[in-house]
Amino acid sequence: MKYKLFSFYLQSGDPKPLNIEVKSFLFELRNGKPSLVLPENTRDFEEEDYVEFDSIVAPLIGVSINDLLHGVYEVKTHEYSVTPGSTYLRVIQKVDKQSTTSVILFEIFQVEEAGIAVRYSDNSYVKESSRDRVRYIADILGMDKKALEQEIAKAGIILY
């Protein structure tokens, strides 16, 4: 099954002022351990990606196609092959260049024959630190928190 993630930069003043950079990472859980999955293909963002962008990015980050079209942006589409029966962890790093803040967001999903089943998802209004949420995510996945933190750090994601 094909799965897409998006990494992008957006600067906009309308409908709301934004200056953000978003990076996406995908980990597959194998034998109780997370492994970073590299995209099979990375390409420029196209009109065919609009619906998936809004369904994948908007609920987590609060940014939609409308925001992109009203600003200056660059989006990369990352394409993956995901395996039915497998569990994945999506990690999103959002850096707000206006407020100089960084937010790490997590989503756990299971790939089923019928599609994607989300087991846990943050949103852009989350209040707990990323370290506290890693503890919670490790519990959901039945894995060691330190092992999860180490794999996230290897991908270049800084938890706070």
Side-chain angles (χ1 to χ4, degrees):
M1 169 182 276
K2 292 291 182 193
Y3 185 73
K4 293 180 188 176
L5 290 179
F6 303 94
S7 294
F8 62 95
Y9 167 80
L10 170 62
Q11 186 172 6
S12 175
D14 177 42
K16 57 189 171 196
L18 292 169
N19 188 357
I20 60 172
E21 183 175 358
V22 174
K23 294 180 182 177
S24 297
F25 304 87
L26 185 66
F27 295 87
E28 182 177 8
L29 294 138
R30 298 180 192 144
N31 302 320
K33 295 183 180 187
S35 297
L36 182 65
V37 179
L38 299 176
E40 288 184 344
N41 186 34
T42 297
R43 60 174 174 76
D44 290 333
F45 189 63
E46 298 173 354
E47 191 172 328
E48 71 183 42
D49 299 318
Y50 286 9
V51 171
E52 286 168 298
F53 184 91
D54 273 354
S55 68
I56 292 172
V57 175
L60 211 57
I61 304 291
V63 171
S64 69
I65 289 298
N66 184 53
D67 296 306
L68 292 181
L69 298 177
H70 283 90
V72 176
Y73 66 92
E74 181 180 343
V75 181
K76 292 294 180 189
T77 302
H78 307 291
E79 298 174 318
Y80 300 86
S81 282
V82 292
T83 308
S86 295
T87 301
Y88 293 87
L89 173 65
R90 178 169 57 134
V91 181
I92 306 294
Q93 181 176 34
K94 175 186 169 188
V95 176
D96 186 324
K97 295 178 183 243
Q98 288 178 316
S99 64
T100 63
T101 58
S102 179
V103 176
I104 307 296
L105 302 168
F106 302 97
E107 182 177 83
I108 301 168
F109 65 91
Q110 179 87 29
V111 179
E112 299 174 349
E113 293 296 332
I116 303 292
V118 176
R119 293 178 53 198
Y120 170 86
S121 185
D122 285 334
N123 63 43
S124 59
Y125 303 107
V126 69
K127 300 291 184 215
E128 297 88 11
S129 74
S130 56
R131 288 196 184 277
D132 288 342
R133 285 179 287 119
V134 164
R135 184 177 308 115
Y136 180 68
I137 288 163
D139 288 345
I140 291 172
L141 297 172
M143 63 183 310
D144 180 61
K145 175 186 170 262
K146 286 286 184 201
L148 182 56
E149 285 179 342
Q150 289 172 349
E151 287 304 312
I152 289 170
K154 282 182 194 175
I157 302 165
I158 299 169
L159 298 174
Y160 57 95

